[in-house]
Amino acid sequence: DNDPCTKDTGTCPLGCAEGYTGDSCQEECSGGTFGLACHKRCHCRYGIECNPQDGTCPNECAKDWLGDDCQTELPYILNPPRAPENLIDSTSIALRWYRWNKHIDARYQLSVHVLYRQYGVNNGEWLEVPPVVQTSDSVQEVVVAGLKYNTFYEFQLIPYMLDGLDEIKGRSSPVSQPI
């Protein structure tokens, strides 16, 4: 950076400017890295390298990433919801799921939209339970009521990041097995 390097060795005792590395700070970040000491990973679409100083991508962010430097990971849920205790009564079911990726930017509040439909009905319409605000770093649960007696249902979760009044949709969970 603008701090002086030592004259005898050329090393930079106070560190390199953003985007540079090496003893004399002459090597630009490479291999999909950027920033101070090249410690941040680029997330550009098609694996294209980002700007070594600020992480901006020449095209756009890779899938599931956003922001000027593509460092904000969208929420995702890897596994479908489950119903370990199965029916609470004949028309209600408790669903549980594990929180998604743990590295979500703390600025965002997280919520989950729970969708369900009758199993085996062609083009069954997805219905939605009111969104559930993610309040825990572990297991979440919601009760889905008003179901038809003796009927199987499929469930799916869609995570969202709340940015002010905007909802930013993440990657949906797989659809559950019929429950």
Side-chain angles (χ1 to χ4, degrees):
D1 60 21
N2 293 330
D3 292 321
C5 296
T6 58
K7 290 181 181 179
D8 55 336
T9 64
T11 59
C12 303
L14 298 178
C16 301
E18 289 193 18
Y20 291 92
T21 190
D23 289 338
S24 60
C25 299
Q26 296 298 310
E27 301 168 41
E28 209 171 47
C29 294
S30 63
T33 62
F34 75 98
L36 283 176
C38 304
H39 283 306
K40 291 186 177 180
R41 175 117 348 250
C42 296
H43 299 287
C44 298
R45 190 168 187 143
Y46 309 118
I48 295 173
E49 291 209 7
C50 64
N51 178 298
Q53 284 82 35
D54 64 14
T56 56
C57 293
N59 49 7
E60 58 188 41
C61 297
K63 181 182 178 196
D64 298 329
W65 295 89
L66 59 92
D68 292 339
D69 59 1
C70 302
Q71 293 299 294
T72 301
E73 186 177 18
L74 291 173
Y76 60 86
I77 301 175
L78 290 176
N79 299 308
R82 56 190 178 84
E85 289 91 33
N86 223 332
L87 289 179
I88 292 175
D89 62 40
S90 60
T91 61
S92 298
I93 194 165
L95 292 176
R96 286 189 179 165
W97 64 91
Y98 288 98
R99 187 182 195 277
W100 49 82
N101 43 330
K102 298 202 182 263
H103 305 291
I104 296 295
D105 190 321
R107 297 177 295 170
Y108 299 103
Q109 184 177 25
L110 305 173
S111 72
V112 176
H113 292 233
V114 179
L115 306 178
Y116 65 99
R117 69 179 174 191
Q118 263 186 268
Y119 175 71
V121 175
N122 288 339
N123 299 319
E125 178 183 351
W126 284 101
L127 302 172
E128 187 173 341
V129 173
V132 177
V133 175
Q134 187 81 33
T135 58
S136 165
D137 284 348
S138 58
V139 177
Q140 291 287 271
E141 182 176 287
V142 68
V143 175
V144 180
L147 302 175
K148 291 182 181 178
Y149 175 73
N150 210 17
T151 303
F152 285 101
Y153 288 87
E154 295 174 304
F155 297 89
Q156 186 174 39
L157 307 172
I158 304 174
Y160 285 84
M161 290 189 317
L162 306 176
D163 185 13
L165 298 176
D166 295 327
E167 285 189 316
I168 304 167
K169 182 179 179 181
R171 186 175 0 134
S172 303
S173 74
V175 175
S176 71
Q177 294 293 321
I179 299 173

